[in-house]
Amino acid sequence: MRCSHVSVSFGSGAAEIRALHDVSFDAREGEFLSVIGPSGCGKTTLLRTVANLIPPTGGTIERVPGERILLVFQEDSLFPWMTALDNAVFGLEMQKAGAGWREAAARELLDRFGLKGREGAYPHQLSVGMKQRVAVIRCFLSNPAVMLMDEPFAALDAQTRLALQQELLALWEPNRKTVIFVTHDIEEAILLSDRILVLSGPPGTVIDELPVPFARPRHASLTLEEEFLELKRRIWAKLGSARMESVVP
Ligand SMILES: Nc1ncnc2c1ncn2[C@@H]1O[C@H](COP(=O)(O)OP(=O)(O)O)[C@@H](O)[C@H]1O
Ligand SMILES: [Mg+2]
């Protein structure tokens, strides 16, 4: 997947809102790419444009023909009228599989990630953390070529967030699909990704691209290592200087 000089505007004339400006990057096959940037800089617009939900005003997006892309939202990715189990198995690829296999695969992941005994619960009966677990499990069971995740852990408390980051890596590491993961949390971006795009805006523009050199599997304790902190400081400084430029004309 490759974005070349992508711009997106909403409205026109005096009411025009420029959400993205000249954004270019590629997401390599099997890569975990994070996109980090301040609130309102255009991250969601970027994912929605990649997912083909918003047409770019300028530039092009090259996708692999026939490749399925799936988007996981910050909240409310689940159907409120379906149980956790039915939500987990909802997905195109899954529907092709036999009902027995489908259910067994979903139950196994729900059990493994803390939803044992809650398979029959509806979303309103689950915590935010449980709902996001189901949304992530559904994404993996559905097995798209590219997974887009829009701050899926942003609404969680710090403990739950750490747990879900580890669970996401445990699901992703065995057969690495391309992921584009949006976050505004620097630690989360470093812990999860192979590479980080730093955005400033609005309009969203790529101001830096940093490889993350740490070996996998990664554990939360990595966040205490000096090299990790060094990278965190670099990204922090990048985001800080972008903020200053947006207030100092
Ligand atoms: N559908 C829309 N119509 C008009 N403006 C929009 C729309 N979606 C997003 N925007 C604007 O585009 C900018 C980027 O928004 P968004 O992509 O949601 O940022 P982020 O996800 O980084 O917080 C904001 O100024 C926002 O108000
Ligand atoms: Mg957003």
Side-chain angles (χ1 to χ4, degrees):
M1 202 288 309
R2 179 189 297 269
C3 283
S4 306
H5 307 290
V6 166
S7 296
V8 172
S9 290
F10 297 104
S12 59
E16 183 183 357
I17 295 169
R18 293 170 66 219
L20 295 176
H21 173 68
D22 198 19
V23 172
S24 296
F25 69 96
D26 61 340
R28 299 160 197 158
E29 201 186 320
E31 177 181 42
F32 201 119
L33 177 72
S34 281
V35 177
I36 193 163
S39 187
C41 78
K43 303 182 298 296
T44 295
T45 304
L46 180 61
L47 280 196
R48 292 174 64 84
T49 309
V50 169
N52 215 2
L53 298 171
I54 297 175
T57 324
T60 54
I61 299 172
E62 287 168 45
R63 304 179 187 85
V64 177
E67 194 171 71
R68 235 159 32 85
I69 295 181
L70 207 139
L71 181 56
V72 179
F73 302 102
Q74 183 171 339
E75 288 181 78
D76 299 326
S77 282
L78 303 183
F79 298 111
W81 61 87
M82 286 186 188
T83 63
L85 183 66
D86 288 341
N87 265 293
V89 299
F90 185 87
L92 203 61
E93 285 303 301
M94 285 296 283
Q95 300 312 315
K96 291 183 203 156
W101 183 87
R102 234 166 35 214
E103 197 178 310
R107 278 186 190 279
E108 191 198 318
L109 289 183
L110 290 169
D111 283 4
R112 190 168 144 207
F113 296 116
L115 281 125
K116 197 173 178 61
R118 307 305 303 276
E119 300 86 352
Y122 289 88
H124 76 275
Q125 299 169 318
L126 300 172
S127 68
V128 186
M130 288 173 175
K131 283 190 273 196
Q132 288 308 87
R133 283 189 170 97
V134 175
V136 169
I137 288 170
R138 170 163 77 195
C139 180
F140 277 85
L141 284 171
S142 177
N143 198 30
V146 181
M147 302 181 185
L148 308 177
M149 303 197 179
D150 191 2
E151 308 205 42
F153 307 150
L156 306 180
D157 62 87
Q159 281 307 111
T160 311
R161 191 176 182 132
L162 282 177
L164 266 92
Q165 288 165 355
Q166 293 299 317
E167 290 165 17
L168 173 61
L169 288 178
L171 284 169
W172 177 77
E173 276 172 358
N175 48 66
R176 310 192 178 188
K177 294 293 165 86
T178 310
V179 178
I180 306 179
F181 186 98
V182 160
T183 179
H184 58 255
D185 185 303
I186 302 176
E187 277 197 3
E188 180 167 85
I190 303 175
L191 193 64
L192 297 178
S193 356
D194 297 318
R195 195 158 54 101
I196 300 174
L197 288 186
V198 185
L199 252 60
S200 75
T205 44
V206 178
I207 55 168
D208 207 354
E209 192 188 306
L210 299 149
V212 181
F214 308 115
R216 298 181 186 273
R218 295 179 188 164
H219 298 288
S221 59
L222 177 64
T223 58
L224 304 170
E225 306 269 334
E226 189 49 44
E227 275 174 279
F228 187 100
L229 293 169
E230 180 55 39
L231 187 54
K232 187 175 167 182
R233 277 193 286 269
R234 264 180 71 190
I235 299 171
W236 174 251
K238 274 279 163 196
L239 288 170
S241 57
R243 265 195 301 279
M244 287 311 289
E245 279 160 23
S246 67
V247 291
V248 181

